[in-house]
């Protein structure tokens, strides 16, 4: 396991092209200073349109570039999709897949999601694989069953692929995203154990992250959960002061 902690800044569609470039211009120096003091891996994931200028702004920076999604296909007649090859050419070293706000999640279509992971691995891009239970499953107390199914399918697939790099698994309960609610410490510990056990059974190395309403307030609880290697932030990552605080709090 790597010792370095991860923070993923998933900017979703909060910024337009101009707003994303202005944010970077204004904050990149201070961000770099903050990372020198707090040596974590920070991955900024802007929307597709802002990938090129973000890559440009992050030249010579230790901040990594990630995309928010990718096509499950290599090339061809797929209107509106972006292929892993383009992400690689743009300098992305990470890419989120299976996020609940995209069309393709574990619940909707396993095979499409696995194809996306495959396309990314072929290009040497580390997938940040989101998984988690739905609100209904959480209410019905079937979280463990749901997580076990998702993680077992994923680990079986990854075992065949033998990824050369560590993969990132982001536990994102659907009901916790943007809601201000987070799972209890016990709920988190159960999920982390399921993932750790399955990875060990399949001889896989990976880092386990948590995402869903992460901010300075919730971090006081979340940072003490053993087995978490980092966090995926949505809204909070767009506020530079909050992002800086989160980075300094997790070490
Ligand atoms: P949030 O989003 O931090 O705004 O809840 C998290 C996510 O969607 O990953």
């Amino acid at each position: 396991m790597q010792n370095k902690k991860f923070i993923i800044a998933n900017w979703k569609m909060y910024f337009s092209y101009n707003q994303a470039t202005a944010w970077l211009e204004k904050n990149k120096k201070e961000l770099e200073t903050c990372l020198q003091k707090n040596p974590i891996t920070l991955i900024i994931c802007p929307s597709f349109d802002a990938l090129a200028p973000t890559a440009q702004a992050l030249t010579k920076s230790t901040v990594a570039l990630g995309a928010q999604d990718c096509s499950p296909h290599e090339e061809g007649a797929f209107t509106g999709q972006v292929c892993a090859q383009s992400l690689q050419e743009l300098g992305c070293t990470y890419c989120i897949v299976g996020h609940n706000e995209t069309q393709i999640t574990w619940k909707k279509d396993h095979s499409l999601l696995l194809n996306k992971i495959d396309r990314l691995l072929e290009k040497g891009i580390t997938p940040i694989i989101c998984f988690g239970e739905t609100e209904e499953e959480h209410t019905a107390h079937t979280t463990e069953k749901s997580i076990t199914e998702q993680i077992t399918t994923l680990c079986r697939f990854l075992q065949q692929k033998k990824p050369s790099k560590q993969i990132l698994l982001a536990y994102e309960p659907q009901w916790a995203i943007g809601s201000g609610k987070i799972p209890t410490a016990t709920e988190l510990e159960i999920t982390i154990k399921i993932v750790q056990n399955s990875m060990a059974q399949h001889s896989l190395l990976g880092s386990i992250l948590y995402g869903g309403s992460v901010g300075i307030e919730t971090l006081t609880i979340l940072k003490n959960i053993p087995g978490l290697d980092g966090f995926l932030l949505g809204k909070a990552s767009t506020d530079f002061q909050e992002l800086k605080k989160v980075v300094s709090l997790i070490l």
Side-chain angles (χ1 to χ4, degrees), residues 112-123:
L112 276 180
L113 186 50
L114 296 177
N115 284 340
K116 289 183 179 208
I117 297 170
D118 212 6
R119 296 293 79 75
L120 292 169
L121 293 175
E122 280 166 3
K123 300 296 166 199

Side-chain angles (χ1 to χ4, degrees), residues 72-89:
H73 308 284
E74 266 174 68
E75 58 169 13
F78 302 104
T79 304
Q81 299 191 21
V82 177
C83 63
Q85 172 77 34
S86 291
L87 300 183
Q88 185 203 49
E89 289 169 5

